[in-house]
Amino acid sequence: MSNRPVSRISLRDFDARRDQIGKELIEAAENVGFFILVDQERPSKQEIEEMLDLSARYFVLPDDVKSHYPFIREQNSGWEKDAQIRPSTGVADPKESLQLQYFRRNTYWPQDLPDIPEFHGTCLKFMESVHDLSMKILSFFAIALGFPPSFFSDAHDLSSEDCLSTLRLLRYHDITGKVSDIPEWRAGAHTDFDVLTLLFQETGGDGLEVCPGREAHTSFAQGDDWTAVPARTGEITVNIGDMLMAWSDDRFKSLYHRVKAPRPDGNLKARNSMAYFNQPRPHILIEGPTKKYEALSASQYILNAMKRYYQPTEIPK
Ligand SMILES: O=C(O)CCC(=O)C(=O)O
Ligand SMILES: [Fe+2]
């Protein structure tokens, strides 16, 4: 385990400190592929706490209620339980998750949930707030790559009919009393195939580990040096995804990460987290400034990634 310093970037006085913030973001994206945002105006700590609370209330609903909207792989939407097999481990992550694609908000989101009528509205507001912050961050990356500042906002236009940006609510199982049967990982090592992921953890839910600076497409960072990222409610862990690595001709690094399961003397209770995946509209072409890779539409990119990520791969010993 490495003690690599983890970049914490403060967004305090955002407008007055724009240049400094931009410098720190670019440096972290180029050298590490991930950073922790603190002091953001929105989503505020209170909004994050409310959303985590709502998510916990969703997951305690009976499975037969949650299964009204089962996970559909082709749409990357819906509820799954013990179903995501990570190629790096060959087994399913011990968790459940709900993926909410913004443009399917009126067609494939749980509606009229018993006891949580505010579910739909709160998720919608939270996504809009995280989207706005994501676009602020991405505007710095656009400028650094020589694109117009609004380049990524146009590609991720939430008001369009087909923006693929997704909020994923996650709950890793409570493993109290299962001491002889604790898995090694709650989430196996992987990179995210989106553009940029904003991850919300909850204090007490440690286990996230990152492995910066690896090629996204070649290995699962087996045996490499990992750094633990403590979970703190209100902070936002951000990582570069494969699509931004491709879009920047490998200048910004996509990052391996995984969630280690607690040891028997650790916190065995359920672990809640939420990930917001910025994913462009399907027709948008991903092509870097130096055209290092052949241009691919976002839909083709995602299709290829789904194939890569959902087929178990031989793991080197
Ligand atoms: O739950 C976490 O902390 C990480 C989740 C994650 O990496 C993912 O869903 O892609
Ligand atoms: Fe991830």
Side-chain angles (χ1 to χ4, degrees):
M1 186 65 55
S2 120
N3 280 323
R4 193 182 278 108
V6 169
S7 272
R8 295 165 64 81
I9 302 180
S10 170
L11 299 183
R12 177 177 39 86
D13 301 331
F14 186 87
D15 290 331
R17 298 177 55 253
R18 269 193 89 84
D19 291 352
Q20 176 62 25
I21 292 170
K23 238 174 77 187
E24 291 178 27
L25 291 172
I26 303 290
E27 194 179 306
E30 283 178 335
N31 295 317
V32 186
F34 116 104
F35 44 88
I36 296 176
L37 295 179
V38 295
D39 306 327
Q40 75 283 355
E41 209 167 289
R42 295 204 54 209
S44 65
K45 186 171 182 210
Q46 192 187 340
E47 278 176 275
I48 296 167
E49 281 167 346
E50 276 168 16
M51 192 58 230
L52 281 165
D53 179 60
L54 192 73
S55 174
R57 284 161 60 206
Y58 166 79
F59 284 118
V60 296
L61 293 173
D63 287 0
D64 63 356
V65 171
K66 291 177 285 192
S67 64
H68 288 173
Y69 293 91
F71 183 71
I72 300 177
R73 188 195 289 187
E74 296 71 37
Q75 298 185 355
N76 210 20
S77 289
W79 175 76
E80 60 80 26
K81 186 173 183 179
D82 298 325
Q84 186 177 13
I85 297 176
R86 300 276 185 190
S88 61
T89 60
V91 295
D93 288 345
K95 66 157 193 292
E96 50 182 310
S97 73
L98 173 68
Q99 305 225 111
L100 301 166
Q101 277 190 335
Y102 190 85
F103 89 103
R104 294 188 205 276
R105 60 194 174 281
N106 297 323
T107 53
Y108 210 73
W109 284 23
Q111 309 272 356
D112 304 325
L113 286 170
D115 304 330
I116 36 178
E118 72 274 36
F119 185 81
H120 195 277
T122 305
C123 290
L124 201 62
K125 259 181 42 204
F126 187 74
M127 284 188 78
E128 287 164 0
S129 170
V130 182
H131 170 82
D132 288 350
L133 176 59
S134 304
M135 293 309 124
K136 273 187 176 172
I137 307 299
L138 283 171
S139 70
F140 290 106
F141 296 149
I143 294 165
L145 293 172
F147 298 138
S150 65
F151 182 79
F152 289 115
S153 322
D154 297 340
H156 293 84
D157 182 2
L158 270 197
S159 67
S160 67
E161 290 305 300
D162 57 359
C163 176
L164 299 175
S165 288
T166 299
L167 176 66
R168 182 180 212 189
L169 308 180
L170 294 133
R171 183 174 181 88
Y172 301 86
H173 304 319
D174 186 330
I175 43 180
T176 310
K178 303 209 171 121
V179 170
S180 60
D181 198 19
I182 293 182
E184 188 161 9
W185 308 112
R186 279 181 149 165
H190 65 282
T191 59
D192 293 340
F193 59 74
D194 65 338
V195 169
L196 192 75
T197 306
L198 276 65
L199 177 72
F200 301 84
Q201 302 193 79
E202 192 171 40
T203 303
D206 288 343
L208 180 70
E209 297 178 352
V210 298
C211 181
R214 298 293 298 222
E215 286 286 319
H217 336 272
T218 49
S219 78
F220 290 103
Q222 297 282 323
D224 215 321
D225 225 5
W226 292 78
T227 301
V229 182
R232 295 201 190 97
T233 309
E235 297 186 350
I236 310 175
T237 301
V238 183
N239 61 275
I240 306 295
D242 297 347
M243 275 195 235
L244 185 53
M245 185 158 167
W247 224 326
S248 67
D249 299 323
D250 295 338
R251 178 171 162 196
F252 302 137
K253 307 289 189 286
S254 181
L255 174 110
Y256 273 103
H257 50 287
R258 64 188 184 190
V259 181
K260 200 172 175 57
R263 296 305 90 207
D265 59 348
N267 177 6
L268 303 177
K269 294 222 166 69
R271 175 182 187 275
N272 297 305
S273 65
M274 311 184 290
Y276 183 84
F277 301 108
N278 287 281
Q279 302 190 127
R281 302 178 63 193
H283 69 279
I284 297 285
L285 275 191
I286 297 173
E287 182 173 53
T290 68
K291 301 189 178 16
K292 179 170 177 181
Y293 299 108
E294 193 187 333
L296 267 189
S297 65
S299 59
Q300 190 58 50
Y301 195 97
I302 292 172
L303 214 64
N304 294 353
M306 296 294 270
K307 276 194 208 135
R308 194 165 73 234
Y309 282 112
Y310 282 89
Q311 270 162 22
T313 315
E314 190 99 355
I315 303 168
K317 293 271 179 285

